[in-house]
Amino acid sequence: MIPPAFRLFSRAEMIYSLKSFTAAMMALYLSSRAGLPNTFWSMMTVYVVSQPLAGMVRSKAVYRLCGTFIGSTATVLIIPALSNAPVLLVLAMALWVSVCLFISLLDRTPRSYAFMLAGYTAALIGFPSVQTPDLIFNTAITRVEEICLGILCATLVHSVVLPAGLTGSVMGLLDKTLTDTRRWLKDIFSAPVAVPDGEDGALSAARLRLSVDITQLRLLATHIPFDTGNLTWTAGAIRTMQDRVAELIPTLSGVEDRLQALYRAEGGWSPDVLAVQRQINAWLAANEPLMTGAQARLTPAGYHDQRLALSESASRLETGGSQSPWARALRISLVGYLQELVLKWQECLVLRQDIATGMRVGVMPRRRLAAVGNRVLHRDLGMALLSSLAAFIAIGLCCAFWIQIGWADGATAAMMAAVFCSFFAVMDDPVPAINNFLKYTFWSAPISAFYILVLLPAVQDFGMLVLVCAPLFLVLGCYSARPALLMVALPLLFGVAGTLSLHDTAHADVTSFINTTTAQLLGTFVAARVTRLFRSVGADWSARRIRRAIRRDLVAMARGAKAQQLQIFAVRMVDRIGLLVTRIAQGETNRHDSVARETLRDLRLGVNIIALQQARRHFPTVDFGALLAQLSLLFRTAENLPALSLHTAVDQALGTMLAMPEATPQWRGAISALVGVRNNLFPDAPVALTVMEETR
């Protein structure tokens, strides 16, 4: 009988661990040959920078270099100037860390790593140097050299030795996003009847998860310029596609909303609506291979002709059906959404073909690729301020304890407080992660003691050092490649590597070990307790803040306080929806369906408000200003219950627009916006047919 095969680690995990260990030993050897005082800092930097994907390693390396230079410069300026005033020095250092953390939390891209590093690098260099301010410049230079050496070794090894590219992760997520979008399209045009109210919430929640994929793709794509393959040529097209798919979500939701309303208004599907549904289904089936970058079966002219045929078929919907005023308004709105949907989906398919071409030949087609980018993503100023305040207070408490009792290793506690208040600040509740780090740092102490007191004193040359370090670091490196075990492996790895630096400074004795370990644990504990007091919130609380931010945007757009472009609003809303969905999944309350419906409704209303603001310029005889003022008042109230006067104002404006003889795009857009406001705020209210009929 052959025993079953047992493999503890996968091939990818072992390769990643071996590369990381090789880079760490290379950095350790070069820093020792260069005579740097803290060679194990170079080794630890390798593990900080290392990532499974080469593009992420290079990206993180660049941002860490920038952050290290900025932080060390700040230290050189602050420490000598305030060395004779300990209180002012503590305040200045704590303020620097807090400001850098605040800026990093407002930049929700990998670039934020540079700002975070600039903050706690100053703490890592500055606090141990307060007793010797005259040597701060040399200390900063050597620390930068040690960190830069570790960064360069990690980047070199991960980029040259069996580099793992971003292509699989990015393209897999991109194609998943397109597949989910097409599934939504297919669901809309394949349903023979309107979606029952009981199922609408579940479907909406499932579709909202598309926003999570878009947000993850957006953040992952920021590493593309640092990748090692042809994917770097596609960065512009991928950024543009993210925006196009984000714009598709309100369009898809609007089409679905109009189809269901039309089904209720006309008592079923009319033949012309069914004919358009069949034509769109055939079009989707014909273009399905293009979603995966397969060779195009249509020429650009073919794309154009196909889209024109669909648009013409959709346009004929305006003259069909019962032609009651409400049904007519719904059909006008539906036609506009269908034409917009066809155009945007075709743009996504063309961009997917461009990405496939760029990856295949390394040259992108010459197109104008305008993308909104990451500058419009959701930012929570309040939470950023609370995180900065927690870091400021935690550092201040550690420094006050350090100064009061004159503890030589108090600097280490202040360093740890700065690091852990910064490192986990992006989480809603960082305390469990900090406590987890604290627990496994504590469990790393016996291992560290064995290394620092038993093994390292017996090491005679570099080869023996490699053999001594290999068993532990290779195993922990494999575990750190697993996301589920990352927060177990990292504290063990950093706890041991940080303690090994005692060997560099010739303080490898029991007293120094106990003091250093105690300071590390104390700093981490203070960071956790202060964060719990000032900063820790639940997923439900964060979800409510995101909902309030959405309403504030709707109020601003209704008041016309600032220019709002549809693309910017769609991208920011989709990002917020993605954040909201993850919080809904974590929350204790079971409100997935209602929140999903309300969020998609707010997204549609935002698009309608933008259209009404545009309609004000073209139809001055219609009192859109009063209507928008009522919408602004609606979203400012906590209950968000629409008033009867708003219902009347919408019906009157819609009746006035339908009575106009013109059929311009602006006229259609205004009618579509009014239909959207009415159908989203008053879905069950009887239609004021008398108003519409009298105005015609």
Side-chain angles (χ1 to χ4, degrees):
M1 180 178 175
I2 301 176
F6 177 76
R7 185 175 60 183
L8 184 60
F9 302 116
S10 67
R11 179 176 179 272
E13 291 168 347
M14 289 187 287
I15 291 175
Y16 168 75
S17 179
L18 186 59
K19 289 196 297 184
S20 299
F21 183 73
T22 301
M25 293 300 103
M26 182 188 302
L28 190 63
Y29 176 77
L30 293 176
S31 59
S32 63
R33 293 291 295 176
L36 297 177
N38 293 287
T39 57
F40 280 98
W41 273 97
S42 299
M43 174 184 172
M44 189 161 56
T45 300
V46 170
Y47 282 99
V48 173
V49 174
S50 293
Q51 299 286 328
L53 302 177
M56 298 178 70
V57 174
R58 289 145 67 107
S59 170
K60 197 172 184 179
V62 170
Y63 296 134
R64 188 172 181 85
L65 279 172
C66 295
T68 300
F69 277 111
I70 295 172
S72 60
T73 302
T75 307
V76 171
L77 295 176
I78 294 173
I79 297 297
L82 301 175
S83 59
N84 293 324
V87 175
L88 291 179
L89 177 59
V90 168
L91 292 176
M93 292 293 290
L95 184 62
W96 171 260
V97 174
S98 302
V99 170
C100 290
L101 177 60
F102 177 78
I103 297 173
S104 74
L105 293 175
L106 296 184
D107 186 351
R108 291 182 43 239
T109 69
R111 186 175 54 240
S112 64
Y113 188 61
F115 299 108
M116 184 176 67
L117 256 294
Y120 72 68
T121 295
L124 293 175
I125 299 175
F127 285 129
S129 304
V130 294
Q131 302 296 332
T132 55
D134 54 322
L135 302 177
I136 185 62
F137 183 79
N138 291 333
T139 302
I141 289 295
T142 55
R143 183 59 52 85
V144 170
E145 291 174 343
E146 292 155 2
I147 292 175
C148 289
L149 191 56
I151 291 172
L152 293 175
C153 289
T155 305
L156 178 65
V157 173
H158 284 283
S159 299
V160 174
V161 181
L162 300 175
L166 287 165
T167 302
S169 300
V170 172
M171 298 310 299
L173 191 53
L174 178 65
D175 289 339
K176 180 179 182 295
T177 301
L178 287 179
T179 301
D180 291 343
T181 306
R182 185 190 179 280
R183 185 178 296 116
W184 191 349
L185 268 165
K186 188 176 180 181
D187 290 344
I188 291 174
F189 296 107
S190 297
V193 295
V195 178
D197 292 338
E199 299 176 12
D200 179 60
L203 285 174
S204 297
R207 288 160 185 170
L208 284 178
R209 284 193 288 271
L210 175 63
S211 303
V212 180
D213 293 339
I214 294 174
T215 299
Q216 290 177 346
L217 178 62
R218 185 177 295 278
L219 298 180
L220 184 61
T222 57
H223 299 289
I224 290 178
F226 302 93
D227 196 49
T228 56
N230 280 345
L231 189 65
T232 53
W233 296 97
T234 69
I238 290 177
R239 284 195 300 268
T240 306
M241 177 170 280
Q242 295 159 6
D243 296 341
R244 297 297 178 269
V245 177
E247 292 177 57
L248 262 175
I249 290 182
T251 305
L252 286 166
S253 183
V255 169
E256 190 171 37
D257 179 69
R258 300 304 186 272
L259 281 171
Q260 293 183 28
L262 186 61
Y263 182 89
R264 293 191 297 268
E266 296 186 347
W269 298 129
S270 59
D272 55 349
V273 175
L274 290 174
V276 171
Q277 286 183 336
R278 287 193 296 270
Q279 189 173 2
I280 290 179
N281 276 324
W283 171 66
L284 289 174
N287 287 344
E288 185 171 4
L290 305 182
M291 292 171 48
T292 58
Q295 193 65 31
R297 295 187 291 173
L298 290 175
T299 63
Y303 286 134
H304 182 69
D305 294 342
Q306 194 179 62
R307 182 165 55 83
L308 282 180
L310 280 171
S311 298
E312 291 171 1
S313 299
S315 298
R316 289 194 289 270
L317 291 176
E318 288 187 17
T319 58
S322 63
Q323 283 302 292
S324 67
W326 177 237
R328 179 179 174 230
L330 284 171
R331 284 172 171 267
I332 292 171
S333 178
L334 177 61
V335 167
Y337 270 110
L338 286 176
Q339 292 175 341
E340 183 181 351
L341 176 64
V342 170
L343 176 61
K344 289 179 178 178
W345 180 245
Q346 198 73 68
E347 287 181 356
C348 289
L349 295 180
V350 172
L351 283 168
R352 182 62 183 88
Q353 288 297 110
D354 290 348
I355 293 169
T357 302
M359 292 177 57
R360 186 171 58 252
V361 300
V363 178
M364 286 289 296
R366 293 182 176 272
R367 302 185 194 276
R368 181 183 177 89
L369 301 176
V372 172
N374 299 318
R375 65 183 182 277
V376 300
L377 297 182
H378 172 72
R379 294 183 176 91
D380 194 330
L381 292 175
M383 291 304 297
L385 284 171
L386 285 177
S387 298
S388 301
L389 177 63
F392 184 88
I393 293 175
I395 296 170
L397 288 176
C398 288
C399 290
F401 181 73
W402 171 26
I403 294 172
Q404 190 68 27
I405 69 172
W407 185 22
D409 286 285
T412 303
M415 288 163 44
M416 292 299 103
V419 169
F420 286 103
C421 284
S422 301
F423 201 71
F424 299 104
V426 72
M427 298 179 177
D428 288 332
D429 186 3
V431 175
I434 299 176
N435 286 338
N436 181 77
F437 229 95
L438 177 64
K439 178 176 70 174
Y440 286 103
T441 300
F442 177 80
W443 284 114
S444 73
I447 305 174
S448 301
F450 182 69
Y451 265 89
I452 201 73
L453 301 176
V454 178
L455 294 181
L456 288 188
V459 170
Q460 301 297 323
D461 55 32
F462 186 76
M464 291 181 63
L465 179 62
V466 173
L467 292 176
V468 165
C469 293
L472 176 67
F473 284 89
L474 285 174
V475 172
L476 291 180
C478 289
Y479 282 122
S480 66
R482 297 181 184 179
L485 296 175
L486 178 64
M487 296 307 295
V488 175
L490 283 186
L492 290 173
L493 196 151
F494 291 158
V496 175
T499 308
L500 292 182
S501 62
L502 291 174
H503 186 267
D504 291 330
T505 56
H507 289 92
D509 53 65
V510 175
T511 303
S512 297
F513 171 75
I514 292 176
N515 274 283
T516 301
T517 303
T518 303
Q520 289 178 353
L521 296 175
L522 177 64
T524 309
F525 176 79
V526 171
R529 294 304 95 195
V530 173
T531 300
R532 170 69 73 187
L533 182 63
F534 287 94
R535 161 70 179 76
S536 183
V537 297
D540 286 343
W541 193 84
S542 295
R544 288 194 295 270
R545 286 185 62 83
I546 296 171
R547 292 297 306 277
R548 286 196 293 269
I550 293 173
R551 298 302 174 87
R552 285 196 298 270
D553 269 6
L554 293 177
V555 170
M557 290 188 295
R559 296 177 60 185
K562 55 183 177 180
Q564 291 283 343
Q565 299 176 5
L566 177 59
Q567 189 182 41
I568 292 176
F569 172 75
V571 170
R572 183 181 291 125
M573 269 296 291
V574 167
D575 176 51
R576 283 174 173 163
I577 289 172
L579 295 174
L580 193 59
V581 169
T582 58
R583 268 76 178 181
I584 294 172
Q586 300 170 17
E588 299 178 359
T589 57
N590 188 18
R591 299 188 305 114
H592 296 67
D593 293 354
S594 61
V595 172
R597 286 195 298 269
E598 291 171 7
T599 307
L600 282 179
R601 187 202 68 169
D602 291 345
L603 177 58
R604 294 192 296 266
L605 283 171
V607 174
N608 295 326
I609 290 172
I610 292 172
L612 289 177
Q613 290 285 11
Q614 296 170 347
R616 295 178 66 178
R617 300 191 296 269
H618 299 284
F619 304 100
T621 58
V622 183
D623 194 4
F624 285 118
L627 177 58
L628 288 166
Q630 291 192 59
L631 286 171
S632 174
L633 180 62
L634 168 67
F635 295 121
R636 282 203 303 270
T637 59
E639 295 82 8
N640 298 123
L641 298 176
L644 179 61
S645 59
L646 177 59
H647 180 196
T648 303
V650 172
D651 279 353
Q652 289 177 347
L654 186 56
T656 303
M657 294 301 302
L658 286 172
M660 294 182 180
E662 55 185 305
T664 61
Q666 293 79 15
W667 176 78
R668 297 173 192 275
I671 289 179
S672 181
L674 290 168
V675 169
V677 171
R678 192 194 190 287
N679 201 48
N680 284 293
L681 294 180
F682 310 98
D684 301 321
V687 180
L689 293 176
T690 54
V691 175
M692 294 187 181
E693 289 171 353
E694 289 172 1
T695 56
R696 287 195 63 183

